[in-house]
Amino acid sequence: MYTTGSILHEIQKRPLLRPLFFWIVGILLQICFPLQAASLVFLLIIIVILVLSFFLHRQNDEMLLYHNRWVWGVVFACIMVFLAIQMTNLTEQRLISPLEPGFLLRKAHEMQSRMVEKLGLLQLPDADKSVLATITVNYRKAMTWELRNQFSVTGVSHLLAVSGFHVGIVCAFINATLSLFPRKGVVAHWMKYIVTMLCVWVFTYISGLTTAAVRAAVMLTIYMTGRVLKRDPDKYNTLAGAAFCMLVYNPFYLFDVGFQLSFTAVFFILYLQPRLSGLIEIRNPIIATPWNVLTVTIAAQTGTSFLCFFYFGQSSMVFLFTNLFLSLLATVLIPATLLWMIMPVWLPGMDTLRMVIEMMTRCLMWVVDRFASIPGATLSVRFDFFTLVLSYVCLAFILLYFRLRHYWMLFAALSVLLLILCWHLF
C-alpha cells in the first residue's frame, strides 16, 4: 500500500524534478508578472544567506549548519528562479526582433527538399506522397488541411508530427542493423552507442528539430548514456531532464502545443501504461505486442484528450480501432521510406522496396479515409483554461485514489467534476 509519504519519497529521489519545477516557476513569473527588476530580490536573498552562512562557518557551528540545511534549498530555489527569469527575458527580447532561420535550420530544410524529391519516383497520388514526406522527414509544404483533418479525426495525427514514435522507430531500426555486427568488447559497445546517437540526432536535425523530436532525442541520449556508463536511468528523471534542458535552451517551449502534448503523452505512457498492461497477464508474445501497443494508445489518449479539447476542440472516438494497425504499419513504412530516400535506385532490391512502400501507403490511406468518414468519429468539446485545469486536477485525484486507496481522493475528484458542471451550467 502506498502512502503520501512514499509519493514524496518518489519525488525526492528524482533530483531533476526540483530544478525543473523552480525553472517553470521563474518562467511563469516573468510571463505573468514581468519581474526583470524585481528578480533582484531573489539575488539579494541569495547574497544575504551566503553572508550569514559564511559567519556561521567561521564559528565552526557545524551542527547549526546541518539543522539549517533547508536554507541551502532556499538558496538553490532562488538561484533557479532568478536564472529562469533572466533567461526568459533574454529570449523574449529575441522574439521581439525575429531573425531569419539559422544556417543549420536552412540546411535542414534543403536536405528535406532533396530527400522528398526521391518520392516523385513512386507511383502514388500527390496526396499520398505528401503524407510520406510528412511522416518521414516532417516536410509539410504539400500537406493539405483536409488530409490533416482526416488523420486527426482518425486519432493518428501523431503520425504526421515527427516525434518520439518516429525517433524510436529509427533507433530500433539502427539497433537491429548494428546487431548484425560483433557486439562483444568495449570498443564495439561504445561504437554502437556513438553510431546510434549520431543517426538519431541526424534524423532529428533533418526533421527540422521539431519540439517532440528534440524531446525524444534528448531523452534517448540521457537514457543510452546512462546505460553505456553502466547506470540504470530513472524514466521520470530522464523525462524531467529532457524538459529542463529544452526549457533552459528556450523557455517559451513551455507554451508550445507540441511540447505540452509530447511531454504529457510520455508522462501518462510511463505512469499509466504499465498499470493498464498489468490488468491482463498475457504470456504469448504474439498477443502481448498488440496488447502493449493498445495500452500505450489508451494511456497517451487519456493524458492528451483534455489538451486536445482545449486547443483543437475535438478528440477522436475511433483511435482504439486505428492506432494498433496503423502504428504497426508505420513501424515498417517509415524506415522503408527513409531507405528509399537515401539509397540509390539502381541497387538490387530497390524495385521490390518501391512496390512494398506503395502497397503500405495505399493501405494506410485507405484505412484513414474509411475511418474518417464514419459519423461521430470525433467528439467535439471546447474547453476553456479553467475547465482544462480542473479536468487535470480531477484526473490526478482519480489516479491517486487507485494508487493510495484513500476515499477522500475519490470524493475530491467527484467534487471537482461537480464544479466543472456548475461552471458550464451557470
Side-chain angles (χ1 to χ4, degrees):
M1 178 68 68
Y2 289 97
T3 63
T4 305
S6 66
I7 293 180
L8 292 176
H9 176 69
E10 292 291 323
I11 296 175
Q12 290 173 354
K13 73 179 185 180
R14 295 177 173 92
L16 290 176
L17 289 175
R18 279 164 279 181
L20 174 62
F21 172 77
F22 291 118
W23 194 267
I24 291 176
V25 169
I27 295 173
L28 295 177
L29 285 175
Q30 174 62 20
I31 296 299
C32 299
F33 315 99
L35 295 173
Q36 181 61 19
S39 64
L40 297 176
V41 174
F42 293 101
L43 186 60
L44 181 62
I45 293 174
I46 296 169
I47 294 173
V48 170
I49 293 176
L50 291 177
V51 170
L52 290 177
S53 65
F54 173 75
F55 285 110
L56 287 176
H57 180 70
R58 290 193 63 180
Q59 296 174 5
N60 294 323
D61 196 350
E62 296 181 1
M63 184 60 68
L64 183 60
L65 283 174
Y66 176 79
H67 286 298
N68 291 280
R69 63 191 185 277
W70 60 270
V71 174
W72 297 107
V74 176
V75 172
F76 172 78
C78 291
I79 291 175
M80 295 306 299
V81 172
F82 172 78
L83 292 177
I85 290 174
Q86 301 302 318
M87 189 63 188
T88 305
N89 180 68
L90 291 174
T91 307
E92 195 172 18
Q93 295 301 319
R94 291 200 301 267
L95 292 177
I96 293 175
S97 302
L99 301 175
E100 293 294 324
F103 173 79
L104 292 178
L105 203 54
R106 289 200 305 270
K107 288 298 180 182
H109 292 160
E110 292 175 6
M111 292 179 66
Q112 281 184 356
S113 301
R114 287 197 297 269
M115 295 179 70
V116 168
E117 289 176 359
K118 195 81 172 290
L119 297 178
L121 300 176
L122 299 175
Q123 298 177 6
L124 291 171
D126 291 339
D128 295 8
K129 294 177 183 178
S130 69
V131 171
L132 279 180
T134 304
I135 67 175
T136 49
V137 293
N138 202 47
Y139 186 86
R140 294 172 169 269
K141 292 182 179 179
M143 177 63 63
T144 63
W145 181 87
E146 290 77 8
L147 275 175
R148 294 181 185 179
N149 187 62
Q150 280 188 326
F151 276 80
S152 177
V153 169
T154 313
V156 290
S157 56
H158 61 278
L159 294 180
L160 296 180
V162 174
S163 60
F165 176 76
H166 302 72
V167 174
I169 290 175
V170 171
C171 182
F173 178 76
I174 295 169
N175 284 331
T177 304
L178 293 178
S179 64
L180 302 175
F181 298 92
R183 291 177 289 177
K184 295 182 179 180
V186 178
V187 175
H189 189 60
W190 277 95
M191 285 300 297
K192 180 179 179 181
Y193 164 76
I194 294 172
V195 171
T196 302
M197 288 294 93
L198 181 62
C199 293
V200 165
W201 277 104
V202 167
F203 173 73
T204 305
Y205 168 69
I206 294 175
S207 67
L209 297 173
T210 62
T211 304
V214 171
R215 186 268 310 158
V218 172
M219 284 189 65
L220 189 62
T221 301
I222 296 173
Y223 175 79
M224 293 199 66
T225 302
R227 293 298 299 268
V228 80
L229 295 175
K230 308 297 183 181
R231 300 290 189 270
D232 188 15
D234 179 83
K235 53 187 180 181
Y236 297 110
N237 210 39
T238 302
L239 183 65
F244 181 71
C245 292
M246 293 182 67
L247 292 177
V248 167
Y249 172 74
N250 184 357
F252 285 89
Y253 273 146
L254 183 63
F255 307 100
D256 183 82
V257 179
F259 181 91
Q260 296 174 14
L261 288 172
S262 178
F263 278 90
T264 302
V266 173
F267 173 78
F268 275 87
I269 290 172
L270 295 179
Y271 180 83
L272 201 56
Q273 191 274 336
R275 292 164 174 79
L276 293 175
S277 181
L279 293 176
I280 302 177
E281 184 179 357
I282 300 177
R283 298 180 179 179
N284 189 330
I286 299 178
I287 303 177
T289 298
W291 170 244
N292 288 332
V293 173
L294 189 63
T295 53
V296 166
T297 301
I298 295 174
Q301 192 74 15
T302 301
T304 58
S305 290
F306 298 146
L307 281 172
C308 290
F309 290 142
F310 177 70
Y311 285 111
F312 313 117
Q314 66 178 22
S315 183
S316 175
M317 299 297 291
V318 296
F319 69 94
L320 282 177
F321 306 99
T322 58
N323 263 276
L324 177 60
F325 174 73
L326 293 183
S327 295
L328 294 176
L329 182 64
T331 302
V332 180
L333 179 60
I334 291 173
T337 307
L338 287 173
L339 282 177
W340 171 260
M341 291 177 170
I342 297 171
M343 306 299 290
V345 294
W346 48 263
L347 286 177
M350 292 299 288
D351 286 338
T352 303
L353 180 62
R354 176 181 57 81
M355 290 187 292
V356 170
I357 292 173
E358 293 171 353
M359 179 188 65
M360 289 190 295
T361 304
R362 293 191 184 99
C363 184
L364 182 144
M365 296 304 297
W366 183 87
V367 173
V368 170
D369 182 65
R370 290 297 180 271
F371 276 90
S373 61
I374 295 177
T378 58
L379 176 63
S380 297
V381 178
R382 176 64 69 176
F383 276 12
D384 54 29
F385 183 74
F386 184 70
T387 304
L388 174 69
V389 173
L390 288 182
S391 298
Y392 276 109
V393 170
C394 181
L395 180 60
F397 277 124
I398 293 174
L399 295 178
L400 286 174
Y401 167 74
F402 284 109
R403 182 167 183 175
L404 301 177
R405 298 296 179 177
H406 292 169
Y407 288 100
W408 69 265
M409 294 180 176
L410 186 60
F411 176 77
L414 294 175
S415 300
V416 174
L417 181 60
L418 180 62
L419 182 59
I420 294 174
L421 294 177
C422 291
W423 172 259
H424 285 278
L425 290 176
F426 302 103

